[in-house]
Amino acid sequence: SGTGVLATDGYLTVADDLTVAGSSVPRGYVGSATKSSQTDHTTAFSDVLSLTVSVISGRRYRVTAYCSGSQITAGPSTTRAQILDDQSGSVQFIYRTDQPLTTILAGNGAWHFTATSTRNAVIKIQAAASSGAYRVATGVAGAWLEVEDIGA
């Protein structure tokens, strides 16, 4: 590992951890997950979906997320969903202040972070409803997460 040539056949050269002007090129897909069970979310943020991925100190990562659910008990409710990384970074990608009963609320979002250490990082989607409950179903129709390495 390091900078340099990993293999060449005279026409195609495969680089090993190629560095250009001090920045490593993106390494792409790191991991993804889809929702495996139905969950209801009430007043405090709780986990919709969790994904553990290996990250490298100093590298940047893009997290993309999708969440879809419905208000299943009397509203209206302020309904929220967020992406959360294990370095205490987060971004809300769903926020509605008047979520009525049985109405579907869906959204997607993206979050970038730079790993502060090499480790197994835990990335989550969390949701909450100020009254009643926000129900998220299973599978890609309910929620998914994807993490990509976008360079250093």
Side-chain angles (χ1 to χ4, degrees), residues 20 24 42 51 63 73 80 84 125 127 140:
V20 179
S24 294
T42 56
L51 172 64
V63 179
T73 53
R80 302 171 292 159
L84 179 71
I125 298 175
V140 294

Side-chain angles (χ1 to χ4, degrees), residues 68-132:
S68 175
S70 62
Q71 184 70 22
I72 62 164
T73 53
S77 174
T78 297
T79 305
R80 302 171 292 159
Q82 68 180 6
I83 299 169
L84 179 71
D85 69 48
D86 64 357
Q87 298 177 160
S88 300
S90 67
V91 63
Q92 287 191 28
F93 65 96
I94 293 177
Y95 187 91
R96 181 171 174 174
T97 59
D98 60 348
Q99 180 71 14
L101 184 62
T102 70
T103 304
I104 293 173
L105 179 61
N108 63 315
W111 175 250
H112 296 177
F113 72 96
T114 300
T116 57
S117 64
T118 299
R119 67 187 186 288
N120 288 327
V122 179
I123 311 299
K124 299 178 179 184
I125 298 175
Q126 294 184 324
S130 63
S131 65

Side-chain angles (χ1 to χ4, degrees), residues 49-72:
L49 183 59
S50 182
L51 172 64
T52 301
V53 293
S54 296
V55 297
I56 299 168
S57 181
R59 297 203 54 88
R60 295 180 312 140
Y61 295 88
R62 175 176 43 231
V63 179
T64 51
Y66 172 81
C67 185
S68 175
S70 62
Q71 184 70 22
I72 62 164

Side-chain angles (χ1 to χ4, degrees), residues 32-45:
S32 61
T34 58
K35 188 124 179 72
S36 62
S37 62
Q38 177 178 288
T39 52
D40 295 342
H41 304 275
T42 56
T43 56
F45 274 113

